[in-house]
Amino acid sequence: MHCIFDQCKAAVTILKFGHMSSDLLAYGASDGTLTVCTVSDPPKVIKLLNGHSKDVTDFDFSSNNQYIASSSMDKTVRVWELTKGDCIRVIYGVSSQLCIRFHPVNNNFLSVGNANKEITVFNFSTGRIIKKLVVDSEVTSMDHDHTGQLLFCGDAQGCIYSISMESHSGALSRSHRHRTTGKRKCPVTTVQYRSFSLLAGGPVLLTCTQDGNLSFFSVALEIQGYLTFRCSLKLAPRVHSIRASFCPLLSLEKGEYIVAGSEDSNVYFYDLAKPKHSCVNKLQGHRFPVVAVAWNHGENLLASSDLYGIVIVWKRAKTS
């Protein structure tokens, strides 16, 4: 255990390290606050971003880590400038804003998924809508590929969409839809892209649904992000939205490691290459359901957060 942040008074439902950053960490809570910290010695809170009146559902750092864009149940998107901690733009919507990403190549584009079944591309500088695309249900999670030409979205019915995006104009077009298996249609809580996996021999996508289904797909970039199902792992069904994450560097040696929170207050590591004995490690330290996990850039620090508002940063043991 590297450090603990315990000043938050509400459930911390989303957390992320800055791009290419080992020590910049931010987390969003159900009371509408965003907290920005440094985890280098001594760990401390740098900025508290107040403005949202309801739950922060998601946020993303700009590529230079100078800005954070956040989405909320209060139907707004807010853009924050981090050196001063000021909110420099508020974009008002008509429904809850559920997920958000900066474009990885053109940081002037912000993609937002909402409860009105829309994916909207905003101009970061002006706040104006550039493009809009309607899908079949509430857009609950999203991630870009590394080129910015694809956007992967998950919805409240368990569908995954591969959406082509034009990097200059922001134009969106629906390429493919993949229905996750299962009788119950469950919201997709995690959509995470990775540019290379040894197990798949190319780019991959990780998805997690609220009923505890972790799914792993190969991504065909040359066919507009067509997904091929590789394997899945059935975890215990969840009452809460619990997120999962790849472990890219751990998976470079062997296996395909995934880390996820759980309602029994532990953080679990799974190896998708071992379907029968998939759980390879667990971290104990939280006392409440763990709902979010995130690695830093060097993957030597893992952050996890729980429903009581506790954030724990774990340091990876050095292997000799």
Side-chain angles (χ1 to χ4, degrees), residues 149-205:
Q149 292 173 0
L150 288 168
L151 181 65
F152 300 98
C153 298
D155 75 9
Q157 300 288 313
C159 286
I160 312 294
Y161 302 88
S162 302
I163 291 157
S164 298
M165 186 170 181
E166 217 285 313
S167 297
H168 299 294
S169 68
L172 301 172
S173 57
R174 201 160 116 175
S175 301
H176 307 285
R177 184 181 70 170
H178 190 286
R179 283 191 183 278
T180 51
T181 51
K183 291 173 184 150
R184 291 176 64 234
K185 292 178 177 175
C186 273
V188 179
T189 59
T190 298
V191 171
Q192 194 181 31
Y193 171 85
R194 204 167 105 225
S195 57
F196 183 77
S197 153
L198 264 182
L199 191 66
V204 285
L205 196 74

Side-chain angles (χ1 to χ4, degrees), residues 66-96:
Q66 289 183 353
Y67 302 96
I68 279 179
S70 57
S71 58
S72 170
M73 299 291 274
D74 68 8
K75 305 179 182 178
T76 69
V77 166
R78 286 178 177 262
V79 178
W80 312 84
E81 195 275 323
L82 291 189
T83 49
K84 293 179 182 172
D86 293 339
C87 178
I88 58 170
R89 181 157 293 105
V90 184
I91 302 170
Y92 294 92
V94 295
S95 66
S96 296

Side-chain angles (χ1 to χ4, degrees), residues 57-58 71-72 77 95-101 110-122 133 135 137-142 151 153-154:
T57 52
D58 199 6
S71 58
S72 170
V77 166
S95 66
S96 296
Q97 309 295 315
L98 303 178
C99 48
I100 192 163
R101 286 292 178 277
L110 263 180
S111 299
V112 183
N114 66 28
N116 211 27
K117 308 179 183 178
E118 296 166 332
I119 299 157
T120 309
V121 181
F122 292 100
L133 182 73
V135 293
S137 185
E138 298 182 4
V139 184
T140 52
S141 49
M142 62 168 53
L151 181 65
C153 298

